[in-house]
């Protein structure tokens, strides 16, 4: 517990230092060198982190697996169906919990986006629930990218580092398009990874049987 508290404190101090001494210089550097063509390229690249698309895919996998799991005609595919159920639910819960936390932080912190600083020289926090453009912290696109990468990394551990690298590219693109500060991206990535680590043992562990039941039967103690 002491080690975790120390790590949390160290991360908080490091992020605070980055917000004070890295975010603004980096934003100014990007603004000085960003061209319309590069902006469009980076924006299109970060567009792969579309939360609705991944949520629908996860919901589809979960639904198909849940339908196939109890049917005798497809019993030989039971291991595949179970992986679809657990993997789909794992993705949905990670994205949902991370998305809710991100939305709450966006409204409570009310951090001004880089565009506000570049246009009005304002860098800081507004009144909570001020709305756009005071909703920079943390980055929703980055949360989605890292949530998907973290979930797939648990399911496909051999692909862990390529998946994390792709998510990092998405996060950096949000900085390079001047949509977010670097610390917005870092916190979103940590939040996504933390949510995935929270849900992984609760959904993927073989002794956890509740994911193999329909949501209307989660309260039951056994599968049958």
């Amino acid at each position: 517990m002491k080690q975790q508290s120390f790590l949390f404190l160290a991360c908080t101090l490091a992020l605070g230092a980055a917000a004070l001494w890295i975010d603004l210089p980096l934003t100014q550097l990007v603004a000085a060198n960003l061209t319309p063509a590069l902006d469009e390229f980076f924006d299109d690249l970060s567009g792969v982190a579309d939360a609705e698309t991944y949520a629908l895919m996860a919901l589809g996998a979960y639904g198909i697996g849940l339908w196939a799991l109890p049917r005798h005609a497809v019993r030989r595919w039971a291991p595949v169906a179970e992986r679809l159920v657990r993997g789909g639910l794992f993705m949905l819960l990670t994205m949902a919990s991370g998305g809710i936390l991100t939305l709450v932080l966006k409204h409570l912190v009310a951090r001004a986006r880089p565009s506000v600083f570049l246009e009005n020289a304002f860098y800081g926090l507004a009144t909570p629930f001020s709305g756009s453009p005071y909703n920079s912290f943390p980055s929703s696109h980055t949360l989605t990218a890292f949530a998907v990468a973290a979930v797939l990394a648990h399911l496909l551990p051999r692909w862990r580092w390529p998946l994390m690298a792709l998510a990092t590219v998405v996060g950096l693109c949000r900085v390079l398009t001047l949509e977010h500060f670097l610390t917005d991206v870092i916190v979103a990535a940590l939040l996504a990874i933390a949510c995935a680590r929270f849900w992984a043992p609760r959904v993927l562990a073989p002794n956890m049987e509740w994911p193999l039941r329909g949501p209307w039967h989660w309260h039951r103690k056994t599968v049958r």
Side-chain angles (χ1 to χ4, degrees), residues 94-111 113 128-132 134-141 143-144 180 187-188 191 195:
T94 299
M95 291 184 64
S97 56
I100 291 171
L101 289 172
T102 296
L103 184 63
V104 170
L105 286 173
K106 276 181 176 292
H107 287 297
L108 289 179
V109 176
R111 188 183 195 185
R113 287 184 180 266
F129 300 96
S130 294
S132 182
Y134 302 100
N135 58 352
S136 186
F137 178 91
S139 166
S140 297
H141 282 78
L143 184 284
T144 298
H180 289 281
V187 170
L191 195 60
C195 288

Side-chain angles (χ1 to χ4, degrees), residues 65-134:
L66 206 60
W67 171 85
L69 197 58
R71 282 167 169 72
H72 294 283
V74 289
R75 184 59 59 86
R76 62 181 180 141
W77 297 104
V80 176
E82 181 174 338
R83 285 196 290 270
L84 286 175
V85 170
R86 292 188 187 276
L89 185 59
F90 182 26
M91 181 75 77
L92 289 170
L93 290 173
T94 299
M95 291 184 64
S97 56
I100 291 171
L101 289 172
T102 296
L103 184 63
V104 170
L105 286 173
K106 276 181 176 292
H107 287 297
L108 289 179
V109 176
R111 188 183 195 185
R113 287 184 180 266
S115 60
V116 177
F117 168 73
L118 295 172
E119 295 170 6
N120 303 315
F122 176 77
Y123 176 66
L125 311 179
T127 304
F129 300 96
S130 294
S132 182
Y134 302 100

Side-chain angles (χ1 to χ4, degrees), residues 5 38 61 83 105 108 111 137 147 165 171 197 207 213 221:
S5 299
L38 283 175
R83 285 196 290 270
L105 286 173
L108 289 179
R111 188 183 195 185
F137 178 91
R197 291 190 64 179
N207 64 314
R213 305 190 293 270
K221 293 183 178 181

Side-chain angles (χ1 to χ4, degrees), residues 14-15 17-28 30 111-114 123 136-139 142 146 168 170-176 178-190:
L15 288 169
L20 288 173
W21 296 305
I22 296 179
D23 279 350
L24 274 185
L26 181 59
T27 296
Q28 291 171 315
V30 171
R111 188 183 195 185
R113 287 184 180 266
Y123 176 66
S136 186
F137 178 91
S139 166
T142 305
F146 272 91
T168 300
V170 172
L172 291 176
C173 284
R174 303 307 289 167
V175 176
L176 295 174
L178 298 173
E179 291 292 336
H180 289 281
F181 295 104
L182 181 62
T183 49
D184 300 337
V185 166
I186 293 174
V187 170
L190 293 175

Side-chain angles (χ1 to χ4, degrees), residues 40-59:
E40 183 177 359
F41 172 74
F42 292 135
D43 188 56
D44 290 342
L45 201 56
S46 65
V48 301
D50 180 46
E52 291 184 3
T53 299
Y54 295 111
L56 287 174
M57 292 173 63
L59 185 61

